[in-house]
């Protein structure tokens, strides 16, 4: 049975009707990547290939529901100006009929090759998954090659999100998985030719490698070495909530440690939260031409309050985070906005004095750097409130369901904040990237940022120009 609901004419019609409507929404981002219409979730296939950056994305062009997942495609020469590319994959084969799920891209001897999960659901509620390849042809189209890995033994149908890389003579792949005891795991596979794959076992997971119970499914793994450490990014579902950490419906986390290339084992410490804001999930990294490790995440979380976001009224849902450069300090991951984004800045303005007397700023498209010893509050249009205390940040906004105030925390002494605003999103970088809080918010536009508190602050700020995808 193939998927008969998705077709190019249906997608074209959805885009023709949907795009003008989405553009009317004052919450539509000015310089972040977002779907022209419909629902976007994970970044996929982020790669520098043949002199251009490519970023693919989980996309349902037909509605704001998690259905019909295709791979949309953008490309850019400079990581700032992006252009639309033809739809890369749609779920029209037997082995991917319920979605061309997340995956990654590699350069296979000069051919841009995608590896993704073909998701297949059965009527009785079960599912299976195939890891599949698609190779770009001379016309630029992606030709599906079909599955190369069927469901490995010992796991449920939840096995997905292949992230591939090359090391020596081999290709390696990490895969998110759920074992038969309903524990989330990351599997490692190895191949000489991308077609035949060998299961090298579990490298991390719940009840594994010194971790206790850490969730029933781990999605979107990504493994890379940066500085003296190897990092494993993962998205554990079902992680126990702590009073001030892992508070979102699903969390995005990382492990830091050493990967032994001989034994293919990963020794690591505890789980760290990758982003402490309300919306962040399914990040993916790649290397730039000049060797930087960049990360982009989905500024959304599945199954929480996403279906109450007001942009659905304009037919679109979700956006990406800004692109971030990663660095490694003492086994901790730091994230900072890529320097390329500085090209969006208008003239710099400054303020020094008490928070109470600080000017009101337009938060629509804003970059702000603030230094203070705390005791101040940043109020984004009365919709998102950041309390900068001596030893922690408290970020509060109202539930879209109940109206009650919800809070996210970042714990530690805060010296400085670097904040990026874009219509309906705020990304807060703490202490030059030691922490990040990414969140959507839906203020009445044009949104104002105001400051309060007796304590002093020093601020530099820029309005940012829009940079829409062409
Ligand atoms: C994460 C995720 C992935 C899956 C994709 C489907 O958000 O659930 O595990 O491949 O989204 O869109």
């Amino acid at each position: 049975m193939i998927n008969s609901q998705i077709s190019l004419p249906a997608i074209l019609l959805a885009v023709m009707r949907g795009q003008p409507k989405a553009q009317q929404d004052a919450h539509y981002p000015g310089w972040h990547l977002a779907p022209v219409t419909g629902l976007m979730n994970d970044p996929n296939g982020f790669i520098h290939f043949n002199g251009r950056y490519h970023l693919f994305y989980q996309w349902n062009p037909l509605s704001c529901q998690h259905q019909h997942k295709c791979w949309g495609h953008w490309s850019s020469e400079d990581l700032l100006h992006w252009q639309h590319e033809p739809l890369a994959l749609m779920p029209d084969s037997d082995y991917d009929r319920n979605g061309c799920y997340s995956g990654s891209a590699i350069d296979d001897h000069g051919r841009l090759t995608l590896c993704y999960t073909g998701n297949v659901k059965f009527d009785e509620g079960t599912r299976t998954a195939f890891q599949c390849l698609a190779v770009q042809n001379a016309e630029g189209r992606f030709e599906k090659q079909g599955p190369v890995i069927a469901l490995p033994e010992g796991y449920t149908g939840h096995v997905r999100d292949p992230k591939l890389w090359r090391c020596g003579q081999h290709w390696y792949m990490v895969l998110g998985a759920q074992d038969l005891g309903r524990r989330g795991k990351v599997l490692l596979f190895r191949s000489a030719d991308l077609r035949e794959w060998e299961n090298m076992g579990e490298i991390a997971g719940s009840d594994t490698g010194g971790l206790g119970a850490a969730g029933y499914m781990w999605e979107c793994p990504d493994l890379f070495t940066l500085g003296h450490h190897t990092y494993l990014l993962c998205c554990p579902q079902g992680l126990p909530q702590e009073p001030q950490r892992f508070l979102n419906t699903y969390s995005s986390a990382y492990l830091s440690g050493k990967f032994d290339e001989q034994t293919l084992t990963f020794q690591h410490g505890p789980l760290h939260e990758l982003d402490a804001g309300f919306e962040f999930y399914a990040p993916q990294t790649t290397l730039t031409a000049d060797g930087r490790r960049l990360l982009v995440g989905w500024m959304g979380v599945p199954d929480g309050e996403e279906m109450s976001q007001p942009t659905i009224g304009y037919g679109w849902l979700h956006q990406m985070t800004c692109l971030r450069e990663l660095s490694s300090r003492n086994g901790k991951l730091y994230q900072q906005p890529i320097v390329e984004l500085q090209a969006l800045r208008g003239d710099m303005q400054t303020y020094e004095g008490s928070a109470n007397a600080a000017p009101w700023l337009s938060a629509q498209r804003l970059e702000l750097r603030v230094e203070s010893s705390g005791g101040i509050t940043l109020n984004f249009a009365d919709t998102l409130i950041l309390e900068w205390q001596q030893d922690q940040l408290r970020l509060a906004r109202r539930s879209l369901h109940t109206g009650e105030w919800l809070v996210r925390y970042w714990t530690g002494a805060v010296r400085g904040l670097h904040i990026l605003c874009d219509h309906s999103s705020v990304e807060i970088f703490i202490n030059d990237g030691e922490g990040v809080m990414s969140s959507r918010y839906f203020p009445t536009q044009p949104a104002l940022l105001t400051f309060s508190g007796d304590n002093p602050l020093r601020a530099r700020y820029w309005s940012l120009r829009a940079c829409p995808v062409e």
Side-chain angles (χ1 to χ4, degrees):
M1 184 187 77
I2 58 162
N3 186 339
S4 54
Q5 289 174 293
I6 193 105
S7 65
L8 286 177
I11 294 173
L12 185 59
L13 180 64
V15 170
M16 288 189 298
R17 287 187 178 157
Q19 184 164 24
K21 197 165 160 196
Q23 293 302 325
Q24 285 165 18
D25 189 353
H27 291 135
Y28 199 85
W31 58 272
H32 281 79
L33 293 164
V36 293
T37 189
L39 176 149
M40 182 210 77
N41 53 303
D42 312 355
N44 293 155
F46 191 19
I47 191 171
H48 182 252
F49 175 83
N50 239 349
R52 287 189 80 77
Y53 293 91
H54 295 264
L55 181 61
F56 301 80
Y57 54 99
Q58 287 287 284
W59 184 33
N60 174 9
L62 301 187
S63 79
C64 291
Q65 300 297 313
H66 283 281
Q67 293 171 337
H68 313 300
K69 293 294 172 64
C70 299
W71 276 42
H73 181 189
W74 298 298
S75 79
S76 168
E77 200 181 305
D78 59 4
L79 294 167
L80 188 66
H81 300 92
W82 291 88
Q83 70 182 42
H84 291 293
E85 297 291 342
L87 188 76
L89 298 171
M90 62 176 180
D92 57 358
S93 306
D94 269 348
Y95 50 83
D96 61 18
R97 63 177 187 242
N98 296 107
C100 295
Y101 274 15
S102 287
S104 52
I106 43 157
D107 179 345
D108 177 21
H109 303 96
R111 275 169 310 172
L112 182 54
T113 301
L114 310 181
C115 185
Y116 70 99
T117 301
N119 187 44
V120 173
K121 292 183 178 169
F122 302 110
D123 288 345
E124 74 274 11
T126 57
R127 65 165 82 191
T128 192
F130 300 96
Q131 313 314 320
C132 307
L133 292 183
V135 178
Q136 194 174 36
N137 66 19
E139 287 80 57
R141 244 176 276 136
F142 289 91
E143 287 177 4
K144 290 185 183 178
Q145 312 284 301
V148 291
I149 299 179
L151 207 60
E153 220 171 286
Y155 300 89
T156 71
H158 291 276
V159 175
R160 55 179 171 265
D161 309 336
K163 177 78 198 296
L164 274 61
W165 72 97
R166 177 132 188 126
C167 184
Q169 295 306 302
H170 287 103
W171 294 102
Y172 290 87
M173 173 199 293
V174 278
L175 263 182
Q178 178 181 66
D179 72 13
L180 296 177
R182 299 278 189 275
R183 291 173 304 195
K185 300 285 165 142
V186 174
L187 310 182
L188 181 72
F189 278 70
R190 188 170 74 180
S191 170
D193 60 3
L194 293 175
R195 266 72 188 171
E196 300 284 327
W197 289 88
E198 192 183 353
N199 186 348
M200 310 307 290
E202 298 175 354
I203 57 159
S206 182
D207 288 329
T208 306
L211 297 185
Y216 57 81
M217 170 64 192
W218 283 24
E219 300 187 308
C220 300
D222 191 348
L223 185 89
F224 55 87
T225 296
L226 193 58
H228 300 298
H229 288 80
T230 296
Y231 293 94
L232 178 65
L233 311 187
C234 53
C235 294
Q237 299 185 308
L239 205 56
Q241 285 198 349
E242 296 176 12
Q244 299 197 342
R245 277 200 327 163
F246 303 126
L247 296 173
N248 292 340
T249 311
Y250 306 127
S251 296
S252 181
Y254 71 92
L255 297 166
S256 162
K258 296 257 172 278
F259 186 74
D260 185 327
E261 287 177 8
Q262 302 307 314
T263 59
L264 301 180
T265 50
F266 183 45
Q267 300 274 353
H268 57 76
L271 277 170
H272 302 273
E273 196 161 44
L274 191 51
D275 187 300
F278 284 96
E279 271 87 23
F280 184 86
Y281 201 68
Q284 194 173 94
T285 73
T286 196
L287 283 175
T288 59
D290 58 0
R292 290 172 292 162
R293 175 68 59 177
L294 301 192
L295 172 146
V296 59
W298 170 29
M299 219 190 294
V301 177
D303 300 340
E305 297 192 341
E306 58 175 339
M307 292 302 155
S308 299
Q309 293 191 10
T311 67
I312 292 177
Y314 288 84
W316 69 283
L317 184 58
H318 298 309
Q319 68 176 60
M320 294 294 176
T321 66
C322 72
L323 298 189
R324 302 168 181 184
E325 179 176 348
L326 297 180
S327 55
S328 168
R329 289 186 221 168
N330 303 320
K332 247 176 116 170
L333 268 185
Y334 279 59
Q335 303 176 52
Q336 285 183 297
I338 56 169
V339 292
E340 284 85 345
L341 289 173
Q342 294 177 9
L344 298 176
R345 289 173 173 174
D347 292 339
M348 182 172 82
Q349 293 179 279
T350 59
Y351 171 78
E352 195 163 348
S354 123
N356 279 327
W360 295 5
L361 307 183
S362 164
Q364 205 166 41
R365 290 191 305 277
L366 175 71
E367 176 174 356
L368 167 70
R369 300 195 74 130
V370 202
E371 288 155 44
S372 167
S373 56
I376 63 175
T377 299
L378 281 69
N379 180 330
F380 299 86
D382 290 331
T383 313
L384 186 73
I385 315 285
L386 179 66
E387 283 179 35
W388 181 343
Q389 302 172 343
Q390 307 305 332
D391 53 358
Q392 71 168 3
L393 293 176
R394 285 178 94 255
L395 183 67
R397 76 170 186 209
R398 285 186 189 277
S399 159
L400 294 173
H401 288 165
T402 64
E404 68 179 314
W405 284 97
L406 306 173
V407 183
R408 296 292 180 267
Y409 306 86
W410 189 84
T411 311
V414 179
R415 298 182 309 276
L417 299 179
H418 184 181
I419 298 177
L420 296 173
C421 303
D422 188 7
H423 293 250
S424 58
S425 70
V426 177
E427 291 163 275
I428 303 165
F429 295 84
I430 304 151
N431 298 342
D432 294 320
E434 186 183 356
V436 196
M437 302 178 94
S438 306
S439 299
R440 300 294 304 283
Y441 77 134
F442 303 101
T444 312
Q445 300 282 351
L448 282 182
L449 166 60
T450 60
F451 300 83
S452 60
D454 292 330
N455 284 357
L457 63 81
R458 279 173 51 182
R460 284 176 292 157
Y461 52 97
W462 301 261
S463 74
L464 299 176
R465 68 179 169 82
C467 191
V469 178
E470 306 225 311

